[in-house]
Amino acid sequence: MTSQVSSPAEQADGTVVGEQRTAAGTKDVRRIDRVIIRFAGDSGDGMQLTGDRFTSETASFGNDLSTLPNFPAEIRAPAGTLPGVSSFQLHFADHDILTPGDAPNVLVAMNPAALKANVGDLPRGAEIIVNTDEFTKRAMQKVGYAASPLEDGSLDGFHVHPVPLTTLTVEALKEFDLTRKEAERSKNMFALGLLSWMYHRPTEGTETFLRSKFAKKPDIAAANIAAFRAGWNFGETTEDFAVSYEVAPAATAFPPGVYRNISGNLALSYGLVAASRQADLPLFLGSYPITPASDILHELSKHKNFGVRTFQAEDEIAGIGAALGAAFGGSLAVTTTSGPGVALKSETIGLAVSLELPLLVVDIQRGGPSTGLPTKTEQADLLQAMYGRNGEAPVPVVAPRTPADCFDAALEAARIALAYRTPVFLLSDGYLANGSEPWRIPELQELPDLAVRFAQGPNHTTEDGTEVFWPYKRDPHTLARPWAIPGTPGLEHRIGGIEKQDGTGNISYDPANHDFMVRTRQAKIDGIDVPDLQADDPDGARTLVLGWGSTYGPITAAVRRLRRAGEAVAQAHLRHLNPFPPNLGEVLTRYERVVIPEMNLGQLATLIRAKYLVDARSYNQVNGMPFKAEQLAAALKEAIDD
């Protein structure tokens, strides 16, 4: 969860604390407060599905959790190679946590490539469950093992559990009419069953899921359930696993309410649907599939019953063009993409600025430039969102901080777009999009009122007393122009990208009018009502850590560590990046040092230095992965001591 309340039990990510043992038949049950598990294998081994099912059962059990899926960009990466390794990391606990964890306590390695790609992340003493069937001479040579790591002593610092997962799975499914290859595909379910036994996870949900997923293939469903149960029974009966682990529900971490596990893209999708209902407008999505934003298109296409219309266009330009047309027609219009798509959409975003129509541009950031790292995360589109258009074309920018927060950020972006008649950037990223955490389902009365009023008739009286409609006559408070639905009698007006005359909206090349319109559009964005920035500073610190977007979890975890060690450090996190909160300059001047961690080369730091003349220090990472809490804590300690 995203609570700032520190838990005294929380130690360095990946450690196990507070152990107790109780007898349970012939095997011990060890009670721990948290654990970090990573499933790893080939792209075709079902690691994402395995991790997702384990996560769902963990959420239903009541633990707080955070996940990190990590997979290749290729649809089917080369089997048995290091670039082809897919992994899923899950951190769950009996208290409030913020990150997927720095280092796994348990690694499930389905082949030599999975072991080699991940063993360097493990702390000494970690448990490794290895599928020994895949450790053939050829498979080991493919990833550079001259000798078997299971026999050469290189894993002596870990607790290794050699398990012939493939053989055991095939044996468990011998009564089914399946080929060996078909049976082998269920080995991920065997592994899931084993881990479910080890950590006392519920099983009913997974079995129900398998029956539903393979409803049209009942034999396959039955085989997967059998493999899942066989894995559970193997853990219960084998002597190699003498201990199972119990992580109690996080009863005190959550405010009262109904919770579900949710990913960032799913939360964002629900937020868009909720915004359309609160505005009483149909939702239109014009989109072209692109990783990691495509899940939003997939999800929204399921909700026609809520007035959602989705259009999968032939390219990025057509997608945003259709969305802008829908905005002109009176819909809550959205286009979803990632960085390369934003580049293609930039001209139409500028047109939306000129037309002053509400449009949500959802950018799920990924590693760049160009195609870059499609399945890895980055925060490198901030300056593109701020300035990536020709001319003076200011656009508000909103950024969620956690997967669940994507729901609220979508509502906030819609509020700004509708109230101020402007396109709005919603900057998520791959880490938030694919990661998940518990989300409290809000009550209807908690959602904001986003109702809008369309223009109904004339709004201006000329000198001769004639009542006319001026499409660019502005609301004195928001500077928003009227929203006139095409076909409304008497509200006909020009549309297009050539500069408009103030008020009338007629084409104008007048220099003074252009200067006025440019300054007015900027003033509209500068005047957007955003809340003040809240700084968390319980100890009167001299150092402020300022973040935005998905760095919230690692920054907050690092700050907690430093405070437990007796360091005074303040923290603030930006949701609104354009315009900045009105008190941001005052907050910055309170501190001797300002440190800004970002998954780019210092884009927010550049903006802060330019606007507030503050000597902000950057701490940057662009390796396609989120920050580790320990890494950030060390960097912040160095800044404090400087």
Side-chain angles (χ1 to χ4, degrees):
M1 297 294 291
T2 57
S3 169
Q4 296 255 6
V5 179
S6 179
S7 166
E10 184 167 347
Q11 306 297 323
D13 278 352
T15 61
V16 177
V17 298
E19 294 185 5
Q20 295 180 355
R21 290 193 176 195
T22 59
T26 59
K27 295 196 175 186
D28 285 340
V29 176
R30 185 175 301 171
R31 291 183 179 150
I32 55 177
D33 71 344
R34 62 207 246 137
V35 70
I36 304 167
I37 299 172
R38 183 182 296 176
F39 299 93
D42 278 334
S43 293
D45 284 339
M47 294 297 94
Q48 302 307 315
L49 175 63
T50 304
D52 183 68
R53 288 313 314 158
F54 197 93
T55 299
S56 295
E57 298 296 0
T58 296
S60 69
F61 189 72
N63 296 117
D64 196 9
L65 61 89
S66 180
T67 68
L68 177 61
N70 185 17
F71 43 86
E74 294 86 350
I75 293 175
R76 183 62 190 267
T81 65
L82 295 177
V85 173
S86 174
S87 67
F88 188 104
Q89 184 163 306
L90 166 66
H91 180 194
F92 62 98
D94 65 1
H95 57 273
D96 174 35
I97 59 173
L98 296 152
T99 75
D102 287 359
N105 307 113
V106 181
L107 171 65
V108 180
M110 303 299 281
N111 59 25
L115 176 64
K116 188 161 190 177
N118 292 282
V119 70
D121 293 337
L122 301 180
R124 304 288 287 182
E127 294 193 72
I128 304 175
I129 300 173
V130 182
N131 181 14
T132 55
D133 287 328
E134 297 298 320
F135 278 71
T136 63
K137 184 176 181 180
R138 181 183 178 187
M140 289 187 291
Q141 288 177 342
K142 188 182 290 188
V143 294
Y145 280 128
S148 173
L150 307 180
E151 300 172 355
D152 65 4
S154 60
L155 302 179
D156 286 351
F158 308 105
H159 298 295
V160 180
H161 302 278
V163 180
L165 287 173
T166 307
T167 299
L168 291 171
T169 303
V170 171
E171 179 65 21
L173 303 184
K174 63 182 180 181
E175 66 184 65
F176 293 87
D177 186 20
L178 300 173
T179 66
R180 180 178 177 87
K181 187 175 183 179
E182 289 172 334
E184 288 178 1
R185 290 175 184 161
S186 297
K187 62 181 180 289
N188 63 324
M189 288 296 104
F190 189 100
L192 178 60
L194 173 58
L195 268 294
S196 297
W197 171 83
M198 283 183 66
Y199 291 96
H200 296 251
R201 300 296 91 184
T203 61
E204 295 82 2
T206 293
E207 294 193 10
T208 300
F209 166 82
L210 291 171
R211 291 189 186 96
S212 174
K213 180 177 177 63
F214 299 107
K216 296 182 179 179
K217 298 179 179 179
D219 290 345
I220 299 298
N224 277 281
I225 292 172
F228 176 67
R229 292 175 176 174
W232 176 284
N233 293 332
F234 178 78
E236 181 72 26
T237 57
T238 183
E239 295 181 2
D240 192 37
F241 293 91
V243 177
S244 63
Y245 302 89
E246 188 175 89
V247 182
T252 61
F254 306 122
V258 178
Y259 286 79
R260 60 156 293 166
N261 182 51
I262 201 165
S263 68
N265 273 351
L266 184 58
L268 199 153
S269 300
Y270 287 173
L272 294 174
V273 175
S276 75
R277 293 297 83 209
Q278 292 302 103
D280 195 22
L281 297 175
L283 177 65
F284 180 90
L285 173 67
S287 182
Y288 181 76
I290 183 172
T291 302
S294 300
D295 286 342
I296 302 171
L297 171 61
H298 301 158
E299 181 60 35
L300 290 181
S301 67
K302 304 174 183 177
H303 297 290
K304 297 180 178 65
N305 57 315
F306 287 113
V308 178
R309 295 179 180 177
T310 54
F311 170 55
Q312 180 173 322
E314 65 268 29
D315 55 40
E316 297 280 6
I317 299 171
I320 190 173
L324 185 57
F328 179 58
S331 292
L332 176 59
V334 184
T335 188
T336 52
T337 189
S338 191
V342 173
L344 293 167
K345 296 177 188 291
S346 61
E347 183 178 6
T348 307
I349 297 171
L351 176 59
V353 171
S354 176
L355 298 181
E356 300 189 45
L357 288 171
L359 174 67
L360 300 186
V361 182
V362 178
D363 178 5
I364 312 298
Q365 301 167 95
R366 70 190 206 187
S370 187
T371 307
L373 304 173
T375 59
K376 310 302 179 185
T377 196
E378 207 163 274
Q379 286 183 298
D381 294 352
L382 176 56
L383 294 183
Q384 182 185 33
M386 291 283 288
Y387 303 119
R389 294 162 295 284
N390 64 295
E392 295 287 344
V395 173
V397 181
V398 175
R401 63 185 187 178
T402 70
D405 188 49
C406 289
F407 178 87
D408 295 317
L411 285 164
E412 175 65 0
R415 177 191 73 86
I416 293 172
L418 294 171
Y420 295 88
R421 309 287 196 268
T422 177
V424 177
F425 262 98
L426 182 54
L427 283 184
S428 181
D429 61 42
Y431 171 40
L432 296 183
N434 297 316
S436 61
E437 67 175 350
W439 171 56
R440 188 181 70 84
I441 301 172
E443 299 293 335
L444 186 60
Q445 61 268 23
E446 296 174 355
L447 300 180
D449 181 5
L450 302 180
V452 297
R453 294 182 62 186
F454 294 113
Q456 300 297 325
N459 62 357
H460 182 77
T461 304
T462 63
E463 291 182 0
D464 63 5
T466 303
E467 291 189 337
V468 296
F469 174 67
W470 275 16
Y472 281 83
K473 185 169 185 176
R474 301 180 181 278
D475 181 292
H477 301 291
T478 64
L479 298 182
R481 78 174 186 93
W483 194 359
I485 302 300
T488 306
L491 303 190
E492 297 85 359
H493 61 280
R494 288 184 179 274
I495 201 79
I498 298 178
E499 184 62 282
K500 316 294 187 299
Q501 184 182 56
D502 177 44
T504 69
N506 295 330
I507 291 175
S508 174
Y509 290 92
D510 178 65
N513 177 78
H514 177 60
D515 183 272
F516 178 80
M517 292 295 280
V518 167
R519 295 180 185 277
T520 299
R521 288 189 290 260
Q522 183 65 58
K524 181 173 70 170
I525 303 307
D526 292 341
I528 291 173
D529 181 24
V530 301
D532 281 344
L533 180 67
Q534 301 298 317
D536 175 29
D537 185 6
D539 304 310
R542 296 187 300 171
T543 300
L544 171 71
V545 188
L546 181 67
W548 70 277
S550 67
T551 57
Y552 173 79
I555 289 174
T556 307
V559 166
R560 286 183 181 181
R561 294 182 185 209
L562 291 171
R563 289 176 180 172
R564 283 197 301 268
E567 301 289 345
V569 58
Q571 178 190 0
H573 209 78
L574 290 168
R575 162 168 283 177
H576 297 90
L577 296 154
N578 193 32
F580 285 129
N583 69 329
L584 176 55
E586 184 273 325
V587 170
L588 294 173
T589 58
R590 297 180 204 163
Y591 299 94
E592 295 179 11
R593 308 177 193 86
V594 177
V595 183
I596 304 179
E598 296 181 79
M599 293 187 295
N600 56 47
L601 294 183
Q603 296 187 14
L604 175 61
T606 297
L607 296 174
I608 293 295
R609 292 186 190 112
K611 185 173 179 64
Y612 300 103
L613 304 181
V614 171
D615 186 21
R617 306 184 187 187
S618 286
Y619 183 72
N620 309 115
Q621 173 178 296
V622 282
N623 63 5
M625 298 294 287
F627 284 112
K628 293 183 178 180
E630 183 179 3
Q631 160 197 2
L632 266 183
L636 296 177
K637 178 68 166 64
E638 184 177 336
I640 292 170
D641 294 341
D642 189 5

